[in-house]
Amino acid sequence: MIYLISEKKDLVTDLVIEWLLAKGRAFKRYNDNVFVATNTCLSNQEEQIEELKDVEKVWQRRGTLNYLPDPVIGNYPNRQNYINYLFQEVKILNEYQEQTLKKRLKKNYIGSYQHERTNNKLLNLAVAKEVGLQIPTTMVTSLKSELLAFYRQHSRIISKDLRAPVNIRTRHKNIIASGVKIVALEDIDRMEENFAPIFLQEYIEKQYEIRLFIVGDQFFPMAIFSQNDEQTKVDFRNYNKKKPNRCVPVTIPEPIEKRVREFM
């Protein structure tokens, strides 16, 4: 049995399910908004996770199993404080389950909630540099003067999220990220002298973008022709859903593949 752990509206998971159906493979999909009852047992005689007992392969696409039923989350005063506490409680269970299954399934467990949650773009850039990969000049600053100097040095700079796309829900409205953006001089002029740290990089001119998926020792590079569309020119993740970018399999030079392996 293949387990897919994802989100309700994740299109990539939908496409993978179509492929699994075509192959006649048995699977279960768990979205992180749907409650899953747990019964995990450890003793000197056994170690069993009841809800995952028939698992053979796991693809942890997004999120993790949701062990908090709706009545527990409820709608009462200071509910967010309770929710934060309960999330920390079930996080221990999720970490145990992931490590236990990875130990048993080895290469048949793809993805990681733990690694995704602690993923650090700045540390990744530092490691990429250490293994000999070229990286864009990067700055994190909370000073308008330094931001202006960085802009003048590179003329074209971009800003993106340091950890994950903005997704702030309030009682009156939702605030969501608008993608990777070019920072213009008028944007800088409107800013205060000090602000929360922002993540900046020099803009890299490119012919196309490459995304690389790795399973075990196998490389699956894909070229994304984002430069043919003004909407996706800065970053393909500024998706044009009406006219998606063309994507084709490619090979990467052996020296680059070697450095990517070292990076991983």
Side-chain angles (χ1 to χ4, degrees):
M1 180 69 69
I2 300 172
Y3 278 53
L4 308 175
I5 303 173
S6 189
E7 297 172 328
K8 180 179 180 180
K9 295 183 178 181
D10 185 62
L11 177 61
V12 173
T13 307
D14 295 342
L15 294 172
V16 168
I17 284 176
E18 289 183 12
W19 183 77
L20 290 173
L21 289 170
K23 294 290 185 179
R25 299 300 302 272
F27 67 89
K28 291 181 181 179
R29 175 173 178 170
Y30 290 96
N31 293 328
D32 59 4
N33 66 320
V34 178
F35 168 68
V36 178
T38 186
N39 190 41
T40 299
C41 299
L42 288 92
S43 71
N44 290 321
Q45 288 73 41
E46 67 171 349
E47 182 176 10
Q48 182 170 322
I49 306 169
E50 184 67 27
E51 61 273 23
L52 301 173
K53 63 182 180 182
D54 58 348
V55 64
E56 297 171 346
K57 301 175 186 289
V58 175
W59 182 35
Q60 194 147 13
R61 161 69 178 165
R62 295 279 173 86
T64 189
L65 295 180
N66 176 18
Y67 290 121
L68 294 180
D70 290 339
V72 171
I73 295 176
N75 187 16
Y76 43 80
N78 301 317
R79 64 189 290 268
Q80 193 59 50
N81 294 333
Y82 295 110
I83 292 171
N84 290 341
Y85 169 76
L86 291 173
F87 276 146
Q88 294 302 313
E89 286 286 286
V90 298
K91 184 175 77 172
I92 300 299
L93 175 61
N94 282 311
E95 289 176 351
Y96 162 75
Q97 291 177 344
E98 180 177 325
Q99 290 193 29
T100 300
L101 288 176
K102 280 194 168 183
K103 186 177 180 180
R104 175 158 64 90
L105 300 176
K106 297 182 172 58
K107 292 182 179 181
N108 286 323
Y109 195 117
I110 300 173
S112 170
Y113 175 66
Q114 294 184 67
H115 294 168
E116 183 65 25
R117 188 166 45 82
T118 58
N119 190 33
N120 188 308
K121 294 178 183 178
L122 298 177
L123 290 174
N124 290 346
L125 285 165
V127 173
K129 179 183 175 183
E130 287 174 9
V131 301
L133 291 168
Q134 295 293 308
I135 65 171
T137 304
T138 300
M139 171 181 278
V140 179
T141 187
S142 56
L143 298 169
K144 183 176 181 176
S145 58
E146 294 299 326
L147 169 55
L148 188 58
F150 191 73
Y151 171 82
R152 288 171 176 164
Q153 179 183 359
H154 298 286
S155 70
R156 298 194 77 190
I157 61 174
I158 60 171
S159 179
K160 62 176 75 170
D161 309 292
L162 187 55
R163 180 183 175 274
V166 178
N167 188 358
I168 302 171
R169 300 179 184 272
T170 72
R171 295 180 62 182
H172 305 291
K173 62 182 177 181
N174 294 337
I175 305 169
I176 60 174
S178 58
V180 179
K181 297 297 182 186
I182 295 283
V183 179
L185 185 58
E186 52 265 32
D187 297 325
I188 301 173
D189 290 339
R190 288 197 299 267
M191 300 180 73
E192 302 290 340
E193 293 302 317
N194 297 103
F195 36 80
I198 58 174
F199 182 44
L200 305 159
Q201 289 184 313
E202 64 172 318
Y203 177 72
I204 302 296
E205 296 285 352
K206 49 191 176 286
Q207 295 179 346
Y208 47 83
E209 299 185 44
I210 291 181
R211 292 282 151 164
L212 180 58
F213 192 76
I214 302 174
V215 181
D217 294 326
Q218 289 185 285
F219 277 48
F220 298 93
M222 178 177 70
I224 305 171
F225 291 91
S226 55
Q227 303 306 291
N228 298 333
D229 188 330
E230 287 299 319
Q231 182 172 322
T232 60
K233 200 168 187 177
V234 174
D235 191 294
F236 89 98
R237 289 166 297 184
N238 298 335
Y239 301 112
N240 185 341
K241 295 182 179 179
K242 293 183 179 179
K243 188 180 179 183
N245 295 150
R246 179 171 174 255
C247 303
V248 298
V250 294
T251 56
I252 58 176
E254 189 174 330
I256 299 297
E257 183 174 311
K258 181 176 182 293
R259 290 168 188 159
V260 171
R261 289 185 188 278
E262 290 179 29
F263 172 82
M264 296 301 292

